[in-house]
Amino acid sequence: MTLALTAALLLTDLVARAVVHRHHFGENPLRWPAGAFHWCVGVIRGGAILVTGVAAPLAELVGPRLAAELSGLNPVPELVGFRSLAELAALHPVPALDEPALQIAGAALAGANIVVIFVCQHAMGPSFRLTIDPGENHPALVTGGPFGLVRNPVYAALTTLTAALALTLPNLLALAGATAMLIGNELQVRCIEEPYLTRIHGTAYQEYAARTGRFLPRLGRLR
């Protein structure tokens, strides 16, 4: 289920979004990160999806077999928190989160956020980019629709989506990926996009940011 949802995310909000954008606006919305820090943040965010949506479910599939093969090896250090390499390889779900109801809720929430991401990207119109490009013509500042509620609805939905994927398979890899996505989106917005938008839109962005929350309504407004 987790792998299927991840595939749906990549196909819908990456491939399909690029095709639709090119059809409507005649350009590719893909932009490569500019600079080492921007690349590092992109790796964190991209890696978060791959860890949560691909590595975590694959680990669950191969973990028990690998654990059996490692069962005779020496214990790992106590600081790791596992009694043996076998237990580490198995990547058992976190007991407090290993509930069918949470897994179902996580799958439903992930599916809903795939749709939300697509809708929010579409609401940006020709201003939509997968990441900023400081060297191109300044895109229009989008403040309507979902962007009237929060300044970064795509990133908010992506953070929620990754957390929801982790609920469908709550092992340590999935939880680490969800945490990485939260950190990556915070860095992307606070250190890259907000300074960029302030520079190119000036007072218009400052007024918008003063009345609109960063990821949640009314929270994270800039003063």
Side-chain angles (χ1 to χ4, degrees):
M1 179 169 56
T2 309
L3 286 170
L5 287 166
T6 303
L9 168 69
L10 296 177
L11 289 173
T12 302
D13 297 320
L14 186 61
V15 178
R17 180 68 255 157
V19 171
V20 170
H21 191 89
R22 181 182 289 275
H23 173 74
H24 283 284
F25 306 111
E27 64 173 355
N28 188 345
L30 176 63
R31 300 292 186 273
W32 296 110
F37 179 76
H38 198 170
W39 269 104
C40 289
V41 173
V43 169
I44 292 173
R45 297 174 63 242
I49 285 291
L50 295 179
V51 168
T52 304
V54 179
L58 291 180
E60 185 188 39
L61 291 175
V62 304
R65 179 176 177 181
L66 183 58
E69 295 177 357
L70 294 174
S71 60
L73 298 182
N74 293 329
V76 293
E78 289 297 326
L79 60 88
V80 176
F82 292 87
R83 290 177 297 176
S84 67
L85 282 174
E87 291 183 359
L88 179 61
L91 283 173
H92 299 299
V94 177
L97 300 177
D98 190 21
E99 297 290 341
L102 287 178
Q103 293 170 4
I104 294 172
L109 186 60
N113 275 276
I114 291 172
V115 176
V116 170
I117 292 170
F118 188 90
V119 170
C120 292
Q121 290 173 338
H122 186 72
M124 295 182 70
S127 295
F128 170 65
R129 303 288 187 272
L130 288 180
T131 189
I132 66 170
D133 180 359
E136 71 177 348
N137 292 331
H138 299 166
L141 180 63
V142 180
T143 61
F147 293 85
L149 298 175
V150 292
R151 302 198 303 276
N152 303 284
V154 174
Y155 294 136
L158 190 57
T159 300
T160 305
L161 166 65
T162 313
L165 287 177
L167 284 179
T168 67
L169 189 64
N171 61 32
L172 292 181
L173 269 180
L175 296 177
T179 302
M181 179 60 76
L182 175 62
I183 294 171
N185 283 340
E186 288 281 358
L187 292 173
Q188 175 75 20
V189 169
R190 293 173 183 266
C191 301
I192 297 174
E193 299 208 359
E194 287 181 352
Y196 168 73
L197 291 171
T198 299
R199 177 170 58 82
I200 66 172
H201 293 295
T203 302
Y205 180 74
Q206 292 172 345
E207 292 176 350
Y208 168 59
R211 66 176 184 269
T212 312
R214 180 179 283 116
F215 297 112
L216 296 172
R218 305 185 64 82
L219 295 180
R221 291 177 293 177
L222 299 182
R223 300 297 185 181

